[in-house]
Amino acid sequence: MNSRTSRTQMLYTLGFLFFLISAFAAFFTGVKVGADKTEAKYAHLDNKEAVEEFSGSYQQQDLVTFYHNVFLPYREFKRNWNDGLDNLARSTDARENAAALKNLSILADKQYDKVTQDSIFTSSPLLYESQLNILKSLTLFSQASSKVTAGASGAETAKVLKNDNFTANAVKFGLLAQKNFYDSMLKWGAKSSSKIPAEAGELKTLSFVQWKKMPLLLKNASIADIMLNRAIYAAYDPQDITAKIDDMIYSGTASSLKLKDVQSSVSLLISTGAVQEQDFMKWREQYYGKETMPQLPFFYE
């Protein structure tokens, strides 16, 4: 009896242990299979999200849409603002000066309305920032034109307007918006060519040796950065300065003037008024025929 009881208890114990081992084995096997499936599931989602981020931001269509709906209206404003200041500086009629200031304010408001017609570019953060900075710039230009009192001396009125804090900040936001846009082109270019970096990096003195190795989009982004830091608010675009510098280098002018870096070249070009609108187009075929650039009108027309 005792022998049978002991044997039965032993078999029961062994059976229970076997059951526990099987249960643990099944549990851990299930955990591993579940983990593998979960990892595969989320790996797929991560890859999908990465692809969507890569393909959904800084597309050429985004750049083109931004150019037409945001950058072009602001570019037109910038040209008219500079022309308006020049005309104001030559005037000696108080009524005309007051009308000129009012027209500049109206122009800023009109272009503001044009810029806000399109949706914000939330999928491309730099374009999003650029649009917001342009809207800030136009708002401040409008306020500056409204707050300055016109005098009989157009030159003095223009000087007061140009030196106004609202105007200074409007210029800053406008040039920051320009930099955002040109940095966006770098983002696009990096996806199109392995030779183009996604970011311009920290601004530093650029020797001509370094400059000649840089792709066009990087040169333009670097010039946009210089324009921001030096408050160069003109009708021409960064690529116009780029083209002017390249022509100075390749024509031998830079060497004859003993220029050795980009920054000193920019200083000379700006101080002498040597840069003009469409300078890039003048040398596009000669220097940039093989460069990677988005299909934006100011690179081709």
Side-chain angles (χ1 to χ4, degrees):
M1 185 74 175
N2 291 336
S3 177
R4 285 183 182 177
T5 302
S6 299
R7 186 181 303 167
T8 301
Q9 288 177 343
M10 182 177 68
L11 290 173
Y12 177 79
T13 302
L14 290 174
F16 182 71
L17 289 174
F18 178 78
F19 171 77
L20 286 178
I21 292 171
S22 299
F24 277 114
F27 173 77
F28 285 113
T29 299
V31 169
K32 186 177 188 309
V33 170
D36 290 343
K37 287 183 178 179
T38 302
E39 184 177 352
K41 176 183 177 182
Y42 283 97
H44 172 70
L45 290 177
D46 289 343
N47 289 339
K48 181 180 179 182
E49 288 173 358
V51 169
E52 287 177 349
E53 182 179 1
F54 183 83
S55 62
S57 61
Y58 304 107
Q59 293 298 291
Q60 179 158 259
Q61 186 57 47
D62 290 336
L63 296 176
V64 172
T65 300
F66 183 88
Y67 175 87
H68 286 289
N69 293 330
V70 180
F71 193 75
L72 186 58
Y74 188 72
R75 196 167 172 241
E76 292 171 351
F77 169 80
K78 186 170 59 170
R79 182 187 300 113
N80 290 329
W81 172 270
N82 285 312
D83 288 345
L85 274 183
D86 289 342
N87 293 333
L88 178 61
R90 292 192 292 269
S91 173
T92 56
D93 186 295
R95 287 186 178 181
E96 288 184 2
N97 297 342
L101 289 175
K102 184 177 180 179
N103 288 337
L104 286 174
S105 180
I106 291 172
L107 176 63
D109 293 337
K110 179 182 176 182
Q111 299 308 93
Y112 182 99
D113 291 338
K114 285 185 179 181
V115 170
T116 56
Q117 285 179 2
D118 197 62
S119 59
I120 298 293
F121 297 81
T122 52
S123 64
S124 301
L126 286 170
L127 294 179
Y128 171 82
E129 290 178 23
S130 184
Q131 184 171 7
L132 291 182
N133 284 327
I134 282 175
L135 293 173
K136 291 176 186 177
S137 178
L138 290 170
T139 298
L140 289 168
F141 272 125
S142 176
Q143 292 174 345
S145 304
S146 299
K147 72 190 285 281
V148 170
T149 302
S153 170
E156 184 61 30
T157 302
K159 182 179 179 181
V160 171
L161 177 58
K162 193 171 183 179
N163 293 331
D164 186 83
N165 286 335
F166 280 28
T167 302
N169 282 304
V171 167
K172 181 187 72 174
F173 281 119
L175 292 172
L176 181 57
Q178 177 176 262
K179 181 181 183 301
N180 294 148
F181 186 34
Y182 280 80
D183 284 344
S184 296
M185 293 182 215
L186 266 187
K187 296 285 189 186
W188 170 85
K191 295 194 290 185
S192 304
S193 171
S194 60
K195 296 180 180 178
I196 299 175
E199 297 179 357
E202 185 179 352
L203 182 64
K204 57 185 179 180
T205 301
L206 292 168
S207 69
F208 289 151
V209 174
Q210 294 171 299
W211 175 261
K212 287 191 284 188
K213 294 177 182 178
M214 294 165 62
L216 173 64
L217 294 182
L218 180 55
K219 289 179 179 179
N220 292 343
S222 299
I223 293 298
D225 200 359
I226 292 173
M227 292 178 75
L228 170 61
N229 279 275
R230 299 191 182 187
I232 302 171
Y233 195 77
Y236 49 76
D237 299 306
Q239 65 266 20
D240 294 318
I241 298 180
T242 293
K244 197 74 176 179
I245 291 173
D246 280 333
D247 188 64
M248 288 177 67
I249 293 172
Y250 293 116
S251 68
T253 303
S255 178
S256 65
L257 293 173
K258 298 184 189 239
L259 296 171
K260 296 181 179 179
D261 60 76
V262 170
Q263 277 79 355
S264 60
S265 299
V266 171
S267 297
L268 177 63
L269 291 171
I270 301 307
S271 65
T272 57
V275 184
Q276 303 295 324
E277 289 185 81
Q278 299 295 309
D279 273 345
F280 174 80
M281 293 303 300
K282 190 186 302 183
W283 288 295
R284 182 173 67 86
E285 293 298 329
Q286 185 173 351
Y287 298 133
Y288 312 111
K290 296 181 180 180
E291 289 281 355
T292 298
M293 50 188 142
Q295 296 288 325
L296 299 175
F298 62 5
F299 286 143
Y300 294 94
E301 297 176 358

